[in-house]
Amino acid sequence: MASLLEMKEIFRNADAVCFDVDSTVIREEGIDELAKFCGVGDAVAEMTRRAMGGTVTFKAALTARLGLIRPSYEQVQKLISDNPPQLTPGIRELVNRLHQRGVQVFLVSGGFQSIVEHVALQLNIPTANVFANRLKFYFNGEYAGFDETQPTAESGGKGKVITHLKEQFHFKKVVMIGDGATDMEACPPGDCFIGFGGNVIRKQVKEKAKWYITHFDELLKELEER
């Protein structure tokens, strides 16, 4: 296992940095916001807490939560226009700095493609660098499930995305940054995991992560000190 100093070295020399989105790049949990918007907020927030704590499989939790919400295409679009996701302070500057250094930035999320792509546009991240879950709708716009073939739809899926990126782009050093258990599980194959507690602190992640931050300025400083 890499020491903290070695992890900082990996981060400074990374070919690619993958960010979780909900409660990391943005301040809220997208699925909880969608649930609130659709009138089932409390029940779904409790399910999210259990999923993030790692006590149920991700796919089971996602299926149950979406089965309760049953969002229509129109509701998802209205959520994005009426309550756009709020970027976490410091993320825009960090992503800009990584881009200036020639580092590829990816958004790897158990959230929803349409919401995550909206976030990617704000951060000048190409939509091709977004890996997230796709909601399915019937021709009349009613909820029809989600694409269960996406790697991000299941536990261990973020690790599969990192493996795919390493194979496709021959990255040597890939960093994963996120707040939850599914982010921590992605290393390995990721080379370094940085736990983020700036929006919400997951006890399990804080206890196990060797490198844990609460503000993105801490990572900007690491890049400046070089």
Side-chain angles (χ1 to χ4, degrees):
M1 290 290 284
S3 69
L4 182 56
L5 274 175
E6 287 167 335
M7 289 170 78
K8 291 185 172 186
E9 186 67 16
I10 291 168
F11 175 64
R12 285 195 297 267
N13 293 289
D15 304 304
V17 175
C18 299
F19 287 92
D20 171 48
V21 176
D22 295 332
S23 296
T24 299
V25 168
I26 62 174
R27 305 204 66 157
E28 56 275 287
E29 286 286 325
I31 194 162
D32 289 351
E33 294 305 304
L34 185 57
K36 274 188 234 166
F37 199 73
C38 297
V40 288
D42 290 346
V44 169
E46 179 53 36
M47 288 179 174
T48 298
R49 274 194 291 278
R50 288 207 298 270
M52 294 308 291
T55 52
V56 289
T57 67
F58 185 80
K59 187 181 271 188
L62 186 60
T63 303
R65 288 178 293 174
L66 282 172
L68 202 57
I69 305 169
R70 303 194 65 76
S72 68
Y73 176 80
E74 189 182 345
Q75 283 173 317
V76 174
Q77 296 310 310
K78 195 160 167 49
L79 171 71
I80 294 168
S81 62
D82 291 5
N83 299 308
Q86 301 299 304
L87 291 177
T88 300
I91 187 63
R92 197 187 293 275
E93 293 79 5
L94 178 57
V95 170
N96 284 346
R97 188 79 188 93
L98 289 167
H99 281 154
Q100 285 165 9
R101 292 167 68 93
V103 179
Q104 290 264 13
V105 178
F106 295 86
L107 299 180
V108 184
S109 173
F112 306 123
Q113 187 87 17
S114 49
I115 296 173
V116 178
E117 283 185 353
H118 177 83
V119 174
L121 284 171
Q122 293 181 68
L123 296 172
N124 296 315
I125 294 170
T127 52
N129 288 20
V130 169
F131 293 84
N133 288 315
R134 295 176 185 274
L135 293 171
K136 297 196 291 194
F137 303 99
Y138 292 111
F139 68 93
N140 64 355
E142 284 181 10
Y143 174 68
F146 64 95
D147 182 354
E148 297 190 25
T149 66
Q150 293 293 320
T152 47
E154 54 192 305
S155 302
K158 292 181 180 181
K160 286 182 187 159
V161 170
I162 290 176
T163 298
H164 162 74
L165 293 176
K166 284 187 161 189
E167 287 170 355
Q168 186 177 357
F169 298 107
H170 308 292
F171 295 142
K172 295 281 185 288
K173 293 189 176 82
V174 178
V175 173
M176 180 77 211
I177 301 172
D179 67 289
T182 58
D183 308 310
M184 192 161 56
E185 286 166 5
C187 299
D191 301 280
C192 165
F193 169 67
I194 304 169
F196 181 73
N199 292 310
V200 61
I201 290 173
R202 316 270 180 208
K203 185 166 171 280
Q204 178 195 8
V205 176
K206 188 176 184 186
E207 285 171 359
K208 291 187 180 173
K210 276 198 183 163
W211 191 359
Y212 195 83
I213 63 166
T214 54
H215 201 290
F216 288 124
D217 281 358
E218 295 170 64
L219 297 183
L220 269 172
K221 283 195 191 92
E222 281 302 321
L223 297 178
E224 303 309 329
E225 280 167 16
R226 202 174 154 72

